[in-house]
Amino acid sequence: MDDPVLLTGASGRVGQAILGGNEDDYEWRLLDREPPADAADHEVVVADITDENAVRDAMDGVGAVIHLAGDPRPDAPWESVLQNNIDGTQTVYEAAVDAGVEKLAFASSNHAVGHYETDRKPDLYREGDDFRLDGTELPRPSNLYGVSKAAGEVLGRYYHDEHDLSVVCVRIGNLTKGHPPIDYERGQAMWLSYRDCAHLFERCLEADYDYEIVYGISDNDRKYYSIERAKEILGYEPQDNSAEHDA
Amino acid sequence: MDDPVLLTGASGRVGQAILGGNEDDYEWRLLDREPPADAADHEVVVADITDENAVRDAMDGVGAVIHLAGDPRPDAPWESVLQNNIDGTQTVYEAAVDAGVEKLAFASSNHAVGHYETDRKPDLYREGDDFRLDGTELPRPSNLYGVSKAAGEVLGRYYHDEHDLSVVCVRIGNLTKGHPPIDYERGQAMWLSYRDCAHLFERCLEADYDYEIVYGISDNDRKYYSIERAKEILGYEPQDNSAEHDA
């Protein structure tokens, strides 16, 4: 990807993990309501994701978009996820298509499928369990935030089918800098290290795909999300594992 | 269903088909922005589906909801489907749960999966073709209206999983009073007669289910939507077939 990459929600945790590992490899344009703490030499756009004109301006000349902006709270109220996550995401897709953007990676979430866990926990968090979600299943959101992420995935499907935009939706697990506590089984099963997060989104910028839904977790011993599709289509090669506590 | 049934969007085409076949069998409460042309002796609530207070008032004492209200235009602009179809539907689910409603049938649409046709037409409209959608597939909307219907399905999944509301999403085909023209192959394949529409929604009020996505079409010779799930779970027994032109 030689053209500039627009990173929305750049100041958030996922944005910082992505920048941390790919800082010097792309011409970044960082968009956020809050200016990033350390933007280095990158171009910064301070704007709300629901500000259509600002989003359209920010798309100028962009080759790919990583769209993270939105209300990240699992318990966010409907009014906020409707506006920031659903309407905001439609604004980003529409502007990307109009600007001739090639690829868009959308930050979806484990909360889009959280209710698959309801009848199966805690067994599915454990190594012996072979229950797997692989991205072909229908969403089962565990909260309205998860509903908004599932809606963003459907919007991506539409903008791919209708306008030929390459779209990958990454259902991000539990992104933390350090290993999750050994007794937090769910967190262990869906851990995504900062290093693997940066690498995964780098693959979203470099690989060729049509429309994909993949899971974003490290190569944990415990897991109930399949990472096979991310490996196969994106060339994802995770290096971390929540079971290796001294890694 | 002995308790009153709330029918939103009662003045529209689907509402009129449902009432036409079940007029005397339920205590109907009809909600629409426009008063129904012929409301007989039924209770009528003239309100917009986005009017939360009016929707909450209309839920009082209701046992089941058939939710049809929304912008029905396949080419409706995003702002309208966001407000009327997505936000309006969330209002209905939330109010239904708070009022202790037992069952909710949601009018989804063939447009939620319209892009499955893109690479396969016109073959999939023909009798020899065995391509079938059965409701387990991910949405592939053909327009933003279809996106809004897919979002309504996901909302239903959430309100079922989280609040135990029984929800059935009916992906309605091509509802017309008469048979579709013989040379309109797509319309033939997804025809839903008024009689079968009324019967299908009667089954949505009477059957027991958790969360379902079914297709709403008649028993057409041509079809690429499976009606097996509707038969099995709801007891749907369609009587019409678009191939029988003199039926």
Side-chain angles (χ1 to χ4, degrees):
Chain A
M1 185 57 55
D2 294 327
D3 291 325
V5 176
L6 176 63
L7 180 65
T8 76
S11 304
R13 215 146 41 95
V14 181
Q16 291 300 300
I18 293 171
L19 281 175
N22 300 293
E23 183 103 43
D24 303 327
D25 304 320
Y26 297 96
E27 190 184 325
W28 294 102
R29 187 173 297 163
L30 312 180
L31 185 146
D32 206 294
R33 291 191 303 185
E34 310 288 336
D38 177 13
D41 295 330
H42 308 303
E43 193 181 344
V44 171
V45 179
V46 177
D48 198 282
I49 202 64
T50 61
D51 180 343
E52 185 181 332
N53 289 332
V55 170
R56 288 189 174 277
D57 287 348
M59 288 288 173
D60 187 47
V62 160
V65 176
I66 297 177
H67 173 47
L68 313 173
D71 190 328
R73 297 171 297 166
D75 63 347
W78 172 249
E79 289 66 28
S80 177
V81 297
L82 179 72
Q83 180 183 333
N84 295 298
N85 301 13
I86 300 179
D87 194 19
T89 295
Q90 193 270 346
T91 299
V92 169
Y93 280 121
E94 191 79 31
V97 163
D98 288 348
V101 167
E102 199 180 311
K103 290 176 190 171
L104 190 150
F106 169 63
S108 185
S109 166
N110 64 82
H111 293 279
V113 290
H115 259 305
Y116 278 101
E117 298 168 38
T118 306
D119 303 328
R120 292 186 178 88
K121 59 189 172 188
D123 290 346
L124 87 168
Y125 304 140
R126 296 177 180 170
E127 252 188 88
D129 201 274
D130 61 359
F131 178 74
R132 291 285 181 283
L133 299 177
D134 66 7
T136 61
E137 62 281 334
L138 287 166
R140 289 188 64 178
S142 37
N143 41 51
L144 291 167
Y145 167 78
V147 169
S148 76
K149 290 298 178 182
E153 295 178 357
V154 172
L155 278 162
R157 180 81 240 191
Y158 167 71
Y159 281 98
H160 169 70
D161 283 341
E162 189 72 17
H163 299 286
D164 219 23
L165 179 68
S166 291
V167 175
V168 57
C169 303
V170 182
R171 290 179 177 165
I172 298 171
N174 176 33
L175 177 72
T176 58
K177 235 176 193 151
H179 284 68
I182 189 78
D183 57 348
Y184 179 28
E185 295 186 290
R186 181 174 191 268
Q188 289 251 328
M190 57 165 71
W191 187 50
L192 177 62
S193 72
Y194 269 48
R195 175 165 66 171
D196 287 339
C197 179
H199 162 65
L200 176 55
F201 280 92
E202 182 265 333
R203 297 314 309 152
C204 294
L205 294 176
E206 297 303 328
D208 288 323
Y209 46 86
D210 294 316
Y211 176 81
E212 293 291 334
I213 296 174
V214 300
Y215 283 95
I217 59 170
S218 289
D219 193 12
N220 308 317
D221 283 351
R222 299 166 180 270
K223 61 165 88 68
Y224 57 95
Y225 296 155
S226 169
I227 54 176
E228 294 311 307
R229 191 75 184 164
K231 286 180 171 176
E232 182 188 342
I233 297 294
L234 303 175
Y236 176 50
E237 294 176 0
Q239 297 182 64
D240 292 308
N241 176 346
S242 58
E244 293 166 6
H245 270 253
D246 300 309
Chain B
M1 185 55 56
D2 295 327
D3 290 325
V5 176
L6 175 64
L7 180 65
T8 76
S11 304
R13 214 147 40 95
V14 180
Q16 291 300 300
I18 292 171
L19 281 175
N22 300 293
E23 183 105 43
D24 303 328
D25 303 321
Y26 297 97
E27 189 184 326
W28 293 102
R29 186 174 298 163
L30 311 180
L31 184 147
D32 207 294
R33 291 192 303 184
E34 310 289 336
D38 178 14
D41 294 329
H42 308 303
E43 193 181 346
V44 172
V45 178
V46 178
D48 198 282
I49 203 63
T50 62
D51 180 343
E52 185 180 332
N53 289 331
V55 170
R56 288 189 174 276
D57 286 348
M59 288 290 172
D60 186 47
V62 160
V65 176
I66 297 177
H67 173 47
L68 312 172
D71 190 327
R73 297 171 297 166
D75 64 347
W78 173 248
E79 290 66 27
S80 177
V81 298
L82 179 71
Q83 181 182 331
N84 295 298
N85 301 13
I86 300 180
D87 194 19
T89 295
Q90 193 270 344
T91 299
V92 169
Y93 280 122
E94 191 79 31
V97 163
D98 288 348
V101 166
E102 198 181 312
K103 291 177 189 172
L104 190 150
F106 170 63
S108 186
S109 165
N110 63 83
H111 293 279
V113 290
H115 258 304
Y116 278 101
E117 299 168 38
T118 306
D119 303 326
R120 293 187 176 88
K121 58 189 173 188
D123 290 345
L124 87 168
Y125 305 140
R126 295 175 180 172
E127 253 188 87
D129 201 274
D130 60 1
F131 178 73
R132 290 284 182 284
L133 299 177
D134 65 7
T136 61
E137 61 281 334
L138 287 165
R140 289 188 66 179
S142 36
N143 41 50
L144 292 168
Y145 166 79
V147 169
S148 75
K149 290 299 179 181
E153 294 178 357
V154 173
L155 279 163
R157 180 81 239 192
Y158 168 71
Y159 282 97
H160 169 70
D161 283 341
E162 190 71 18
H163 298 287
D164 219 24
L165 179 69
S166 292
V167 175
V168 56
C169 303
V170 182
R171 290 179 176 164
I172 298 171
N174 176 33
L175 176 72
T176 58
K177 235 176 194 152
H179 283 69
I182 189 80
D183 57 349
Y184 179 28
E185 295 186 290
R186 182 174 191 270
Q188 289 253 328
M190 58 166 71
W191 186 50
L192 176 63
S193 72
Y194 269 48
R195 175 165 65 172
D196 287 339
C197 179
H199 162 66
L200 176 55
F201 279 92
E202 182 264 332
R203 296 314 309 152
C204 293
L205 294 176
E206 298 301 329
D208 289 322
Y209 45 86
D210 293 316
Y211 176 81
E212 295 290 333
I213 296 174
V214 300
Y215 283 95
I217 59 170
S218 290
D219 193 13
N220 307 318
D221 283 352
R222 299 164 180 271
K223 60 166 87 70
Y224 56 95
Y225 295 154
S226 169
I227 53 175
E228 293 310 307
R229 191 74 185 163
K231 286 180 172 176
E232 183 188 340
I233 297 294
L234 304 175
Y236 176 50
E237 294 176 0
Q239 298 182 62
D240 292 310
N241 177 345
S242 59
E244 293 166 5
H245 270 254
D246 301 309

